[in-house]
């Protein structure tokens, strides 16, 4: 039900998004605040902005990794 989904979203928020949570992800306040508001209104896309923000943070690291010697070595063992 929608209420169960909202409760699950709130649990995820408290664990990963809320400031000083045990497993807080690296997002800024401008991204964090609308997530809480979207959960209260139960928007099924409430975490999209956080996902996009984290993806933007990780992209340069990923690009560096796939051009690294370690990655090429790992790929050669998989082929």
């Amino acid at each position: 039900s929608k209420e169960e989904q909202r409760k699950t979203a709130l649990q995820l928020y408290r664990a990963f998004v809320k400031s000083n949570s045990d497993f807080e992800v690296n997002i800024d306040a401008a991204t964090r605040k609308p997530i809480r508001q979207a959960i209260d209104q139960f928007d099924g896309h409430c975490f999209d902005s956080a996902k996009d923000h984290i993806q933007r943070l990780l992209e340069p690291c990923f690009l560096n990794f796939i051009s690294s010697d370690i990655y090429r070595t790992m790929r050669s063992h998989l082929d």
Side-chain angles (χ1 to χ4, degrees):
S1 74
K2 275 206 179 273
E3 184 57 24
E4 288 171 346
Q5 290 175 338
R6 193 191 69 74
K7 285 181 182 179
T8 299
L10 189 56
Q11 288 174 334
L12 290 169
Y13 174 85
R14 288 179 178 151
F16 299 103
V17 179
K18 185 178 178 183
S19 292
N20 300 314
S21 61
D22 289 340
F23 305 100
E24 183 179 358
V25 295
N26 183 19
I27 58 173
D28 55 24
T31 303
R32 184 177 284 114
K33 187 175 179 179
I35 293 170
R36 177 58 196 195
Q37 293 168 341
I39 291 171
D40 289 342
Q41 299 167 1
F42 193 66
D43 174 353
H45 301 279
C46 53
F47 294 109
D48 287 356
S49 61
K51 178 191 66 116
D52 293 343
H53 182 78
I54 292 168
Q55 203 167 12
R56 281 191 305 275
L57 290 173
L58 289 174
E59 188 171 1
C61 297
F62 177 72
L63 293 174
N64 286 339
F65 173 68
I66 62 172
S67 64
S68 71
D69 291 337
I70 292 172
Y71 176 77
R72 283 191 285 279
T73 301
M74 288 172 43
R75 286 290 305 173
S76 70
H77 289 348
L78 294 174
D79 293 337

